[in-house]
Amino acid sequence: QVQLVESGGGLVQAGGSLRLSCAASGRTFSRYNIAWFRQAPGKEREFVTAISWIGSTVYSADSVKGRFTISKDNAKNTAYLQMNNLKPEDTAVYYCAASLIGLGENSIDYNNWGQGTQVTVSS
């Protein structure tokens, strides 16, 4: 198991940028695939983007392609989500998730979750 803590959320105007961090405990972080999901009020949790444990494979939702970039620094036990050109519809709680096996858009494939960080984009 790995414990995950997200940070970096906040309030930003449309068109702005934020970088979320996902700090992990444990010495096996490098073996984990990492994903970001988000959940807006009254909506189901949705997949944002994911990266393989070695960083060679990335999947992203169509809604964030070209705007959001996921990365993983195994030396720092931290994953990141760089979000550019933010839109009001990006407003949500963002969750970091990790899995030794699963990689993709299905939340059930991830068995390690952070507590979430709020991102609010004003118009």
Side-chain angles (χ1 to χ4, degrees):
Q1 295 291 328
V2 62
Q3 285 72 48
L4 306 172
V5 178
E6 302 96 333
S7 62
L11 173 64
V12 64
Q13 289 187 333
S17 298
L18 282 175
R19 188 176 79 157
L20 305 183
S21 297
C22 174
S25 63
R27 290 175 287 182
T28 59
F29 175 75
S30 61
R31 302 179 187 176
Y32 281 82
N33 302 318
I34 300 295
W36 289 91
F37 289 79
R38 67 187 181 186
Q39 188 167 17
K43 295 186 177 181
E44 294 186 352
R45 188 170 299 187
E46 66 172 357
F47 170 76
V48 177
T49 185
I51 188 168
S52 61
W53 66 279
I54 201 173
S56 58
T57 303
V58 173
Y59 299 104
S60 295
D62 288 341
S63 59
V64 305
K65 283 181 180 177
R67 300 189 299 123
F68 290 12
T69 302
I70 187 172
S71 61
K72 187 172 183 274
D73 188 336
N74 289 328
K76 295 184 178 180
N77 274 16
T78 303
Y80 303 96
L81 180 63
Q82 178 66 45
M83 305 186 294
N84 298 327
N85 190 22
L86 282 159
K87 304 176 180 180
E89 52 264 42
D90 295 319
T91 295
V93 176
Y94 283 71
Y95 298 90
C96 175
S99 174
L100 287 172
I101 300 174
L103 175 65
E105 61 183 48
N106 293 316
S107 61
I108 61 173
D109 290 337
Y110 299 87
N111 56 349
N112 299 274
W113 290 83
Q115 83 290 348
T117 185
Q118 176 71 48
V119 171
T120 303
V121 184
S122 62
S123 57

